[in-house]
Amino acid sequence: MKAFWLDDHTAIDGDTLRAEGVHHDHHEVGAHDGPLAALMRAQGYVERDEVELRPTTPELDVLLAKFDREHTHDEDEVRFVLEGEAVFDIRSRDDRWMRVVVREGDLIVVPKDRNHRFELTETRTVRAVRLFRDRKGWVPRYRA
């Protein structure tokens, strides 16, 4: 995982992310089921699925357009990257943008009600496990 401030490109360390409420971790793909199950129990996530986005995904740009604008969710956004990479831009508590690039083996939890946006990197490929408490809470609410 690579994290930095978008305004000046200085690195963000794990302690700063944690202080901002962004949970992150790294697990080897293939050895991730135990840690994800523990996270599900600890945080009350009851559903799990996989999402896969590739250049060949039908209407990929339409799908991505739902999440590239600043928005929040009523539920945490939890992703464990199995393959590829993606970008989460997350607003800090003082309204600065933090850019977090997640890659294979990275786990990120963007807390509910935190303004953020999502995009793919130039590879346009990511496959990830998603965890939910209730999928209805994962509808984007766009910032005015």
Side-chain angles (χ1 to χ4, degrees):
M1 180 177 313
K2 178 180 176 184
F4 58 92
W5 297 103
L6 270 180
D7 57 2
D8 63 10
H9 289 83
T10 57
I12 299 173
D13 63 21
D15 290 338
T16 300
L17 284 176
R18 278 187 290 283
E20 287 289 342
V22 178
H23 175 82
H24 63 90
D25 210 343
H26 186 87
H27 305 284
E28 292 301 316
V29 173
H32 61 279
D33 283 332
L36 292 185
L39 180 63
M40 289 180 77
R41 283 189 305 276
Q43 298 300 319
Y45 303 123
V46 296
E47 295 186 57
R48 172 183 170 158
D49 71 6
E50 281 189 26
V51 63
E52 184 172 328
L53 301 172
R54 298 185 178 283
T56 56
T57 300
E59 301 198 32
L60 177 61
D61 291 327
V62 173
L63 180 63
L64 291 173
K66 294 179 183 179
F67 303 108
D68 67 355
R69 292 181 300 162
E70 191 170 352
H71 63 280
T72 63
H73 303 285
D74 291 335
E75 181 166 322
D76 298 341
E77 185 162 343
V78 184
R79 301 293 179 269
F80 176 76
V81 180
L82 298 166
E83 174 187 358
E85 56 189 13
V87 175
F88 287 89
D89 289 337
I90 306 165
R91 286 278 185 192
S92 66
R93 290 188 173 102
D94 65 354
D95 214 33
R96 291 174 69 193
W97 280 116
M98 301 180 288
R99 175 156 287 181
V100 181
V101 181
V102 291
R103 297 182 172 95
E104 182 177 308
D106 288 335
L107 170 70
I108 186 168
V109 180
V110 179
K112 71 178 189 169
D113 298 322
R114 179 61 66 96
N115 286 302
H116 67 283
R117 57 191 180 203
F118 171 84
E119 63 187 54
L120 295 178
T121 65
E122 62 280 348
T123 67
R124 294 177 58 87
T125 300
V126 70
R127 185 170 60 96
V129 173
R130 305 185 299 181
L131 303 180
F132 303 93
R133 288 187 186 99
D134 179 354
R135 289 176 194 263
K136 291 178 275 185
W138 199 72
V139 174
R141 290 176 303 165
Y142 299 102
R143 187 172 186 177

